[in-house]
Amino acid sequence: MDLSLEISNLSFNYGSKDVLRDVSLKVDGGEVLALIGPNGSGKSTLLKCVVGVLKPLRGKIAVGGVDLSKLSERERARLVGYLPQYLPMVFPVTVFECILLGRLPSFWTKPGKRDFEAVQRVLQSLNLTGFADKYIDEMSGGERQRVHIARVLAQEARVMLFDEPTANLDLKYQLDVMELIRKASREKEAATIIALHEVNLALKYADRVAVLNGGEMVCEGRPEEVITREMITRVYEVKADVVEYDGRPRVLL
Amino acid sequence: MSDAYSKILRRRFFFITTLFFLPFLLLGISLFVGSARLSFLEVYRIIVSRVFPFFGTNVDKASEYIVLNLRLPRVLGAVVVGAVLAAAGAVSQAILRNPLASPFTIGLSSAASFGASLAIIMGAGILSYQGGYTYTVTNELLVIVNAFILCMLCSLIISVIAEVKGSNPTLMVLLGVAIGYFFSAGTSIMQYLGEAEALKSVVMWLLGDLGRVSWRYLLWMTPAVMVIPILVAIGWRLNAFNMGDEVAASLGVNVKRLRTVCIILVCFMTAATISFVGVIGFICLIAPHIARILVGNDNRFLVLASALVGANLLLASDTIARTILAPMILPVGAVTSCLGGPFFIYLLLKSRRMHWT
């Protein structure tokens, strides 16, 4: 079965301002792609186009060969899961309810046995079982992020999109979250895109890295090929060293 | 299903069941109190004789009239109006993602008031002149129709602007506030122009009175009640709004359409109740928050629990309004706010945790 996500010649603009220009990208099932680039380079916009929050101006997005623009919102939601950067949760719910919400694309009025089982599985694999009845606003930022990732996993979508999932987390949880996403991507063979600011995390966890700058795809490939001193100077406009440590390149600022 | 979650569910079913049966008790008390002294037994004999005619033994005709045509519609009206307004409040809070939202914050009370003032003071409702042809409508009906139409006009304005500008929840609240001020100004101008007698009628209307409820009005309110099960059924979809429009969209919810449909339903529910009984405020804000404390924020339970809390609250308030200074009947809207305010503050202070952030 073809589980890949294929984005071809995607363009988007907000009014007169071009945000994405002819972006093409392919992510295979089980593969983790880190999307890096400076602020305003179009990373979030790209993810929002894929999930269907924004309507692209041109271009095609296909999952397993199926054109997403031909699907209903619900059918699309069964294929693509998404975690935005900001979650304006006003009315806190329990961990269980939060994760159960991820099952929404597969039921109408009330969740069934299969939905509860899916939530249970995710709770177990993320060691959240003990937290099931805890209110989400009573948890730390790191634990909360785990719950939101669990929600995306419970959706059991073929494509998973994460917009800066490590922002505002301490070191331990940054690694924890990246580890979690990579593991889930492998297990479910889901094509995964993570928009990231931290290039070292991209080096450590991504199978491939794509660099966006000013709405255009600058380069794309294996982390050690893409993340070079020249690229960082050119794209981020800062001086940085890329050194080899423990067999992998690391960026020193 | 997880044990922890089953525990939560059991707790919710317990509260909802309790809230469901409480009105029957309150109804008994409420039917019993009033200026005409009737015993418990008498009241129930009258009702039983109506439900099961073959039991119909000799009941006093006057008492029967008081119970069946004065008290029963009134207390049922309290239940219906309370339930509908509270459910509308819960839904507006969900779709606008705002704990301060209620049908009244999106300008509906002002719109209804303006419609009613227009009818009372100018004696000229929107429906009375059509093609230069004057329809004769009874005055009360004119007030109702006017209030209703102005409320629905509100929903039209909000949904058209949402269609053009995008359905941003904050935008909708601000719009509602602006519309509210606009109609309030209209009401003020009406009052300034009005005669003293008409002014008094407007003020009376604005206070809200369940005594206006008749069997006919109850019948007309039933469509609004029928919206409640629909809202409960889409409870999970409403939950999706809680995590923001982007997550809701990623979960397959058509955010814009659902929000507009809900706004229209909220306007309809509010219009279909306050047009008959006047502006009975606060219940649509306070009942959902009490329900949140009892059953949490899952809208599938919250909407129903809010409706039940609203029914109980308004019924209790009305009973108090009728008895506390009997034979004088206080305006139920004022009594609701008077008692509900301190009660709400008490709950907020006592509550273990905040149910919004």
Side-chain angles (χ1 to χ4, degrees), chain A residues 4-34:
Chain A
S4 67
L5 164 72
E6 203 170 351
I7 301 166
S8 24
N9 304 321
L10 193 76
S11 296
F12 181 85
N13 60 11
Y14 287 113
S16 59
K17 193 171 164 280
D18 274 1
V19 185
L20 292 174
R21 261 192 310 276
D22 278 331
V23 174
S24 296
L25 195 62
K26 189 171 186 230
V27 189
D28 288 322
E31 188 183 33
V32 176
L33 178 119

PDB file of all heavy atoms in Angstrom, chain A residues 4-34:
ATOM      1  N   SER A   4       2.460   7.240   1.098  1.00  0.00           N
ATOM      2  CA  SER A   4       3.245   8.468   1.053  1.00  0.00           C
ATOM      3  C   SER A   4       2.372   9.718   0.935  1.00  0.00           C
ATOM      4  O   SER A   4       1.225   9.672   0.508  1.00  0.00           O
ATOM      5  CB  SER A   4       4.199   8.426  -0.126  1.00  0.00           C
ATOM      6  OG  SER A   4       3.445   8.462  -1.320  1.00  0.00           O
ATOM      7  N   LEU A   5       2.967  10.828   1.359  1.00  0.00           N
ATOM      8  CA  LEU A   5       2.352  12.136   1.180  1.00  0.00           C
ATOM      9  C   LEU A   5       3.115  12.834   0.065  1.00  0.00           C
ATOM     10  O   LEU A   5       4.346  12.890   0.093  1.00  0.00           O
ATOM     11  CB  LEU A   5       2.477  12.947   2.474  1.00  0.00           C
ATOM     12  CG  LEU A   5       2.239  14.460   2.360  1.00  0.00           C
ATOM     13  CD1 LEU A   5       0.778  14.763   2.125  1.00  0.00           C
ATOM     14  CD2 LEU A   5       2.722  15.161   3.624  1.00  0.00           C
ATOM     15  N   GLU A   6       2.394  13.310  -0.920  1.00  0.00           N
ATOM     16  CA  GLU A   6       3.066  13.964  -2.027  1.00  0.00           C
ATOM     17  C   GLU A   6       2.481  15.351  -2.263  1.00  0.00           C
ATOM     18  O   GLU A   6       1.293  15.499  -2.541  1.00  0.00           O
ATOM     19  CB  GLU A   6       2.951  13.105  -3.293  1.00  0.00           C
ATOM     20  CG  GLU A   6       4.039  13.432  -4.273  1.00  0.00           C
ATOM     21  CD  GLU A   6       4.097  12.431  -5.426  1.00  0.00           C
ATOM     22  OE1 GLU A   6       3.398  11.406  -5.355  1.00  0.00           O
ATOM     23  OE2 GLU A   6       4.840  12.714  -6.369  1.00  0.00           O
ATOM     24  N   ILE A   7       3.342  16.343  -2.120  1.00  0.00           N
ATOM     25  CA  ILE A   7       2.919  17.727  -2.339  1.00  0.00           C
ATOM     26  C   ILE A   7       3.572  18.181  -3.636  1.00  0.00           C
ATOM     27  O   ILE A   7       4.790  18.065  -3.783  1.00  0.00           O
ATOM     28  CB  ILE A   7       3.405  18.628  -1.185  1.00  0.00           C
ATOM     29  CG1 ILE A   7       2.831  18.136   0.147  1.00  0.00           C
ATOM     30  CG2 ILE A   7       3.037  20.087  -1.425  1.00  0.00           C
ATOM     31  CD1 ILE A   7       3.507  18.739   1.358  1.00  0.00           C
ATOM     32  N   SER A   8       2.772  18.631  -4.596  1.00  0.00           N
ATOM     33  CA  SER A   8       3.407  19.075  -5.835  1.00  0.00           C
ATOM     34  C   SER A   8       2.995  20.486  -6.216  1.00  0.00           C
ATOM     35  O   SER A   8       1.809  20.815  -6.232  1.00  0.00           O
ATOM     36  CB  SER A   8       3.119  18.102  -6.983  1.00  0.00           C
ATOM     37  OG  SER A   8       1.946  17.383  -6.751  1.00  0.00           O
ATOM     38  N   ASN A   9       3.985  21.295  -6.456  1.00  0.00           N
ATOM     39  CA  ASN A   9       3.837  22.685  -6.926  1.00  0.00           C
ATOM     40  C   ASN A   9       2.830  23.495  -6.125  1.00  0.00           C
ATOM     41  O   ASN A   9       1.969  24.165  -6.678  1.00  0.00           O
ATOM     42  CB  ASN A   9       3.433  22.711  -8.405  1.00  0.00           C
ATOM     43  CG  ASN A   9       4.431  21.955  -9.249  1.00  0.00           C
ATOM     44  OD1 ASN A   9       5.634  22.033  -9.002  1.00  0.00           O
ATOM     45  ND2 ASN A   9       3.941  21.197 -10.213  1.00  0.00           N
ATOM     46  N   LEU A  10       2.946  23.415  -4.835  1.00  0.00           N
ATOM     47  CA  LEU A  10       1.989  24.097  -3.974  1.00  0.00           C
ATOM     48  C   LEU A  10       2.313  25.584  -3.859  1.00  0.00           C
ATOM     49  O   LEU A  10       3.443  25.966  -3.571  1.00  0.00           O
ATOM     50  CB  LEU A  10       2.021  23.464  -2.580  1.00  0.00           C
ATOM     51  CG  LEU A  10       0.881  23.843  -1.664  1.00  0.00           C
ATOM     52  CD1 LEU A  10      -0.381  23.105  -2.064  1.00  0.00           C
ATOM     53  CD2 LEU A  10       1.234  23.518  -0.229  1.00  0.00           C
ATOM     54  N   SER A  11       1.298  26.418  -4.102  1.00  0.00           N
ATOM     55  CA  SER A  11       1.464  27.863  -3.914  1.00  0.00           C
ATOM     56  C   SER A  11       0.326  28.385  -3.055  1.00  0.00           C
ATOM     57  O   SER A  11      -0.790  27.881  -3.112  1.00  0.00           O
ATOM     58  CB  SER A  11       1.431  28.599  -5.260  1.00  0.00           C
ATOM     59  OG  SER A  11       2.516  28.201  -6.037  1.00  0.00           O
ATOM     60  N   PHE A  12       0.664  29.412  -2.280  1.00  0.00           N
ATOM     61  CA  PHE A  12      -0.352  30.007  -1.406  1.00  0.00           C
ATOM     62  C   PHE A  12      -0.022  31.466  -1.202  1.00  0.00           C
ATOM     63  O   PHE A  12       1.141  31.846  -1.102  1.00  0.00           O
ATOM     64  CB  PHE A  12      -0.385  29.290  -0.051  1.00  0.00           C
ATOM     65  CG  PHE A  12      -1.430  29.836   0.865  1.00  0.00           C
ATOM     66  CD1 PHE A  12      -2.739  29.390   0.793  1.00  0.00           C
ATOM     67  CD2 PHE A  12      -1.110  30.831   1.788  1.00  0.00           C
ATOM     68  CE1 PHE A  12      -3.714  29.913   1.619  1.00  0.00           C
ATOM     69  CE2 PHE A  12      -2.087  31.352   2.626  1.00  0.00           C
ATOM     70  CZ  PHE A  12      -3.383  30.889   2.536  1.00  0.00           C
ATOM     71  N   ASN A  13      -1.046  32.307  -1.139  1.00  0.00           N
ATOM     72  CA  ASN A  13      -0.786  33.688  -0.708  1.00  0.00           C
ATOM     73  C   ASN A  13      -1.878  34.210   0.204  1.00  0.00           C
ATOM     74  O   ASN A  13      -3.025  33.798   0.139  1.00  0.00           O
ATOM     75  CB  ASN A  13      -0.569  34.624  -1.899  1.00  0.00           C
ATOM     76  CG  ASN A  13      -1.779  34.667  -2.818  1.00  0.00           C
ATOM     77  OD1 ASN A  13      -2.854  34.163  -2.465  1.00  0.00           O
ATOM     78  ND2 ASN A  13      -1.613  35.255  -3.970  1.00  0.00           N
ATOM     79  N   TYR A  14      -1.444  35.101   1.100  1.00  0.00           N
ATOM     80  CA  TYR A  14      -2.382  35.854   1.928  1.00  0.00           C
ATOM     81  C   TYR A  14      -2.562  37.186   1.229  1.00  0.00           C
ATOM     82  O   TYR A  14      -1.670  38.027   1.269  1.00  0.00           O
ATOM     83  CB  TYR A  14      -1.792  36.125   3.313  1.00  0.00           C
ATOM     84  CG  TYR A  14      -1.724  34.929   4.223  1.00  0.00           C
ATOM     85  CD1 TYR A  14      -0.501  34.396   4.600  1.00  0.00           C
ATOM     86  CD2 TYR A  14      -2.883  34.351   4.737  1.00  0.00           C
ATOM     87  CE1 TYR A  14      -0.424  33.316   5.463  1.00  0.00           C
ATOM     88  CE2 TYR A  14      -2.817  33.271   5.595  1.00  0.00           C
ATOM     89  CZ  TYR A  14      -1.580  32.759   5.961  1.00  0.00           C
ATOM     90  OH  TYR A  14      -1.517  31.706   6.812  1.00  0.00           O
ATOM     91  N   GLY A  15      -3.650  37.391   0.569  1.00  0.00           N
ATOM     92  CA  GLY A  15      -3.833  38.638  -0.172  1.00  0.00           C
ATOM     93  C   GLY A  15      -2.800  38.727  -1.278  1.00  0.00           C
ATOM     94  O   GLY A  15      -2.688  37.829  -2.104  1.00  0.00           O
ATOM     95  N   SER A  16      -2.006  39.799  -1.253  1.00  0.00           N
ATOM     96  CA  SER A  16      -1.052  39.978  -2.348  1.00  0.00           C
ATOM     97  C   SER A  16       0.303  39.356  -2.016  1.00  0.00           C
ATOM     98  O   SER A  16       1.172  39.253  -2.872  1.00  0.00           O
ATOM     99  CB  SER A  16      -0.878  41.467  -2.628  1.00  0.00           C
ATOM    100  OG  SER A  16      -0.425  42.100  -1.454  1.00  0.00           O
ATOM    101  N   LYS A  17       0.472  38.937  -0.767  1.00  0.00           N
ATOM    102  CA  LYS A  17       1.780  38.454  -0.357  1.00  0.00           C
ATOM    103  C   LYS A  17       1.917  36.944  -0.604  1.00  0.00           C
ATOM    104  O   LYS A  17       1.158  36.146  -0.072  1.00  0.00           O
ATOM    105  CB  LYS A  17       1.973  38.743   1.138  1.00  0.00           C
ATOM    106  CG  LYS A  17       3.401  38.574   1.616  1.00  0.00           C
ATOM    107  CD  LYS A  17       3.529  39.086   3.047  1.00  0.00           C
ATOM    108  CE  LYS A  17       4.799  38.589   3.697  1.00  0.00           C
ATOM    109  NZ  LYS A  17       4.708  37.212   4.199  1.00  0.00           N
ATOM    110  N   ASP A  18       2.896  36.593  -1.416  1.00  0.00           N
ATOM    111  CA  ASP A  18       3.165  35.169  -1.660  1.00  0.00           C
ATOM    112  C   ASP A  18       3.771  34.552  -0.408  1.00  0.00           C
ATOM    113  O   ASP A  18       4.747  35.062   0.123  1.00  0.00           O
ATOM    114  CB  ASP A  18       4.168  35.021  -2.810  1.00  0.00           C
ATOM    115  CG  ASP A  18       3.467  35.011  -4.151  1.00  0.00           C
ATOM    116  OD1 ASP A  18       2.234  35.147  -4.154  1.00  0.00           O
ATOM    117  OD2 ASP A  18       4.149  34.874  -5.174  1.00  0.00           O
ATOM    118  N   VAL A  19       3.192  33.471   0.049  1.00  0.00           N
ATOM    119  CA  VAL A  19       3.743  32.815   1.221  1.00  0.00           C
ATOM    120  C   VAL A  19       4.420  31.504   0.836  1.00  0.00           C
ATOM    121  O   VAL A  19       5.439  31.120   1.411  1.00  0.00           O
ATOM    122  CB  VAL A  19       2.645  32.569   2.279  1.00  0.00           C
ATOM    123  CG1 VAL A  19       3.238  31.993   3.543  1.00  0.00           C
ATOM    124  CG2 VAL A  19       1.930  33.870   2.601  1.00  0.00           C
ATOM    125  N   LEU A  20       3.861  30.828  -0.139  1.00  0.00           N
ATOM    126  CA  LEU A  20       4.490  29.599  -0.649  1.00  0.00           C
ATOM    127  C   LEU A  20       4.535  29.687  -2.169  1.00  0.00           C
ATOM    128  O   LEU A  20       3.568  30.089  -2.803  1.00  0.00           O
ATOM    129  CB  LEU A  20       3.669  28.362  -0.246  1.00  0.00           C
ATOM    130  CG  LEU A  20       3.617  27.984   1.231  1.00  0.00           C
ATOM    131  CD1 LEU A  20       2.644  26.831   1.428  1.00  0.00           C
ATOM    132  CD2 LEU A  20       4.991  27.618   1.748  1.00  0.00           C
ATOM    133  N   ARG A  21       5.670  29.327  -2.742  1.00  0.00           N
ATOM    134  CA  ARG A  21       5.780  29.346  -4.199  1.00  0.00           C
ATOM    135  C   ARG A  21       6.287  28.003  -4.691  1.00  0.00           C
ATOM    136  O   ARG A  21       7.419  27.606  -4.407  1.00  0.00           O
ATOM    137  CB  ARG A  21       6.747  30.450  -4.643  1.00  0.00           C
ATOM    138  CG  ARG A  21       6.037  31.741  -5.103  1.00  0.00           C
ATOM    139  CD  ARG A  21       6.994  32.675  -5.793  1.00  0.00           C
ATOM    140  NE  ARG A  21       8.205  32.899  -5.022  1.00  0.00           N
ATOM    141  CZ  ARG A  21       8.308  33.806  -4.049  1.00  0.00           C
ATOM    142  NH1 ARG A  21       7.287  34.561  -3.735  1.00  0.00           N
ATOM    143  NH2 ARG A  21       9.438  33.957  -3.393  1.00  0.00           N
ATOM    144  N   ASP A  22       5.423  27.298  -5.397  1.00  0.00           N
ATOM    145  CA  ASP A  22       5.814  26.059  -6.068  1.00  0.00           C
ATOM    146  C   ASP A  22       6.600  25.088  -5.192  1.00  0.00           C
ATOM    147  O   ASP A  22       7.673  24.648  -5.558  1.00  0.00           O
ATOM    148  CB  ASP A  22       6.655  26.393  -7.311  1.00  0.00           C
ATOM    149  CG  ASP A  22       5.753  26.751  -8.476  1.00  0.00           C
ATOM    150  OD1 ASP A  22       4.617  26.232  -8.502  1.00  0.00           O
ATOM    151  OD2 ASP A  22       6.179  27.542  -9.333  1.00  0.00           O
ATOM    152  N   VAL A  23       6.041  24.797  -4.045  1.00  0.00           N
ATOM    153  CA  VAL A  23       6.725  23.871  -3.138  1.00  0.00           C
ATOM    154  C   VAL A  23       6.341  22.435  -3.480  1.00  0.00           C
ATOM    155  O   VAL A  23       5.157  22.115  -3.607  1.00  0.00           O
ATOM    156  CB  VAL A  23       6.357  24.184  -1.672  1.00  0.00           C
ATOM    157  CG1 VAL A  23       6.950  23.141  -0.748  1.00  0.00           C
ATOM    158  CG2 VAL A  23       6.826  25.574  -1.306  1.00  0.00           C
ATOM    159  N   SER A  24       7.334  21.595  -3.670  1.00  0.00           N
ATOM    160  CA  SER A  24       7.069  20.179  -3.910  1.00  0.00           C
ATOM    161  C   SER A  24       7.846  19.357  -2.895  1.00  0.00           C
ATOM    162  O   SER A  24       8.965  19.704  -2.528  1.00  0.00           O
ATOM    163  CB  SER A  24       7.490  19.778  -5.321  1.00  0.00           C
ATOM    164  OG  SER A  24       6.721  20.468  -6.260  1.00  0.00           O
ATOM    165  N   LEU A  25       7.213  18.276  -2.455  1.00  0.00           N
ATOM    166  CA  LEU A  25       7.801  17.513  -1.360  1.00  0.00           C
ATOM    167  C   LEU A  25       7.168  16.138  -1.332  1.00  0.00           C
ATOM    168  O   LEU A  25       5.979  15.994  -1.603  1.00  0.00           O
ATOM    169  CB  LEU A  25       7.477  18.253  -0.054  1.00  0.00           C
ATOM    170  CG  LEU A  25       8.225  17.920   1.214  1.00  0.00           C
ATOM    171  CD1 LEU A  25       9.698  18.225   1.034  1.00  0.00           C
ATOM    172  CD2 LEU A  25       7.676  18.784   2.343  1.00  0.00           C
ATOM    173  N   LYS A  26       8.007  15.137  -1.023  1.00  0.00           N
ATOM    174  CA  LYS A  26       7.411  13.810  -0.877  1.00  0.00           C
ATOM    175  C   LYS A  26       7.893  13.192   0.424  1.00  0.00           C
ATOM    176  O   LYS A  26       9.091  13.230   0.722  1.00  0.00           O
ATOM    177  CB  LYS A  26       7.798  12.929  -2.068  1.00  0.00           C
ATOM    178  CG  LYS A  26       7.041  11.626  -2.065  1.00  0.00           C
ATOM    179  CD  LYS A  26       7.237  10.813  -3.330  1.00  0.00           C
ATOM    180  CE  LYS A  26       6.314   9.622  -3.273  1.00  0.00           C
ATOM    181  NZ  LYS A  26       6.922   8.364  -3.530  1.00  0.00           N
ATOM    182  N   VAL A  27       6.982  12.667   1.205  1.00  0.00           N
ATOM    183  CA  VAL A  27       7.346  11.982   2.447  1.00  0.00           C
ATOM    184  C   VAL A  27       6.750  10.584   2.402  1.00  0.00           C
ATOM    185  O   VAL A  27       5.560  10.417   2.170  1.00  0.00           O
ATOM    186  CB  VAL A  27       6.801  12.731   3.687  1.00  0.00           C
ATOM    187  CG1 VAL A  27       7.386  12.132   4.950  1.00  0.00           C
ATOM    188  CG2 VAL A  27       7.100  14.210   3.612  1.00  0.00           C
ATOM    189  N   ASP A  28       7.603   9.580   2.625  1.00  0.00           N
ATOM    190  CA  ASP A  28       7.114   8.202   2.590  1.00  0.00           C
ATOM    191  C   ASP A  28       6.496   7.805   3.920  1.00  0.00           C
ATOM    192  O   ASP A  28       6.742   8.432   4.941  1.00  0.00           O
ATOM    193  CB  ASP A  28       8.263   7.253   2.266  1.00  0.00           C
ATOM    194  CG  ASP A  28       8.676   7.372   0.808  1.00  0.00           C
ATOM    195  OD1 ASP A  28       7.781   7.543  -0.043  1.00  0.00           O
ATOM    196  OD2 ASP A  28       9.889   7.314   0.539  1.00  0.00           O
ATOM    197  N   GLY A  29       5.701   6.766   3.893  1.00  0.00           N
ATOM    198  CA  GLY A  29       5.127   6.224   5.114  1.00  0.00           C
ATOM    199  C   GLY A  29       6.248   5.803   6.057  1.00  0.00           C
ATOM    200  O   GLY A  29       7.207   5.161   5.643  1.00  0.00           O
ATOM    201  N   GLY A  30       6.129   6.161   7.348  1.00  0.00           N
ATOM    202  CA  GLY A  30       7.141   5.790   8.323  1.00  0.00           C
ATOM    203  C   GLY A  30       8.356   6.689   8.326  1.00  0.00           C
ATOM    204  O   GLY A  30       9.290   6.469   9.093  1.00  0.00           O
ATOM    205  N   GLU A  31       8.322   7.696   7.476  1.00  0.00           N
ATOM    206  CA  GLU A  31       9.476   8.585   7.393  1.00  0.00           C
ATOM    207  C   GLU A  31       9.190   9.884   8.147  1.00  0.00           C
ATOM    208  O   GLU A  31       8.074  10.395   8.116  1.00  0.00           O
ATOM    209  CB  GLU A  31       9.754   8.897   5.920  1.00  0.00           C
ATOM    210  CG  GLU A  31      11.030   9.661   5.689  1.00  0.00           C
ATOM    211  CD  GLU A  31      11.230  10.001   4.218  1.00  0.00           C
ATOM    212  OE1 GLU A  31      10.238  10.220   3.503  1.00  0.00           O
ATOM    213  OE2 GLU A  31      12.385  10.058   3.791  1.00  0.00           O
ATOM    214  N   VAL A  32      10.234  10.426   8.811  1.00  0.00           N
ATOM    215  CA  VAL A  32      10.076  11.692   9.525  1.00  0.00           C
ATOM    216  C   VAL A  32      10.848  12.779   8.791  1.00  0.00           C
ATOM    217  O   VAL A  32      12.058  12.673   8.617  1.00  0.00           O
ATOM    218  CB  VAL A  32      10.591  11.585  10.977  1.00  0.00           C
ATOM    219  CG1 VAL A  32      10.515  12.945  11.669  1.00  0.00           C
ATOM    220  CG2 VAL A  32       9.786  10.560  11.745  1.00  0.00           C
ATOM    221  N   LEU A  33      10.123  13.789   8.361  1.00  0.00           N
ATOM    222  CA  LEU A  33      10.759  14.904   7.668  1.00  0.00           C
ATOM    223  C   LEU A  33      10.714  16.130   8.562  1.00  0.00           C
ATOM    224  O   LEU A  33       9.654  16.485   9.078  1.00  0.00           O
ATOM    225  CB  LEU A  33      10.046  15.198   6.354  1.00  0.00           C
ATOM    226  CG  LEU A  33      10.627  16.382   5.580  1.00  0.00           C
ATOM    227  CD1 LEU A  33      11.140  15.925   4.225  1.00  0.00           C
ATOM    228  CD2 LEU A  33       9.613  17.479   5.411  1.00  0.00           C
ATOM    229  N   ALA A  34      11.884  16.737   8.772  1.00  0.00           N
ATOM    230  CA  ALA A  34      11.908  17.976   9.546  1.00  0.00           C
ATOM    231  C   ALA A  34      11.866  19.135   8.577  1.00  0.00           C
ATOM    232  O   ALA A  34      12.627  19.188   7.628  1.00  0.00           O
ATOM    233  CB  ALA A  34      13.166  18.036  10.399  1.00  0.00           C
TER     234      ALA A  34
END
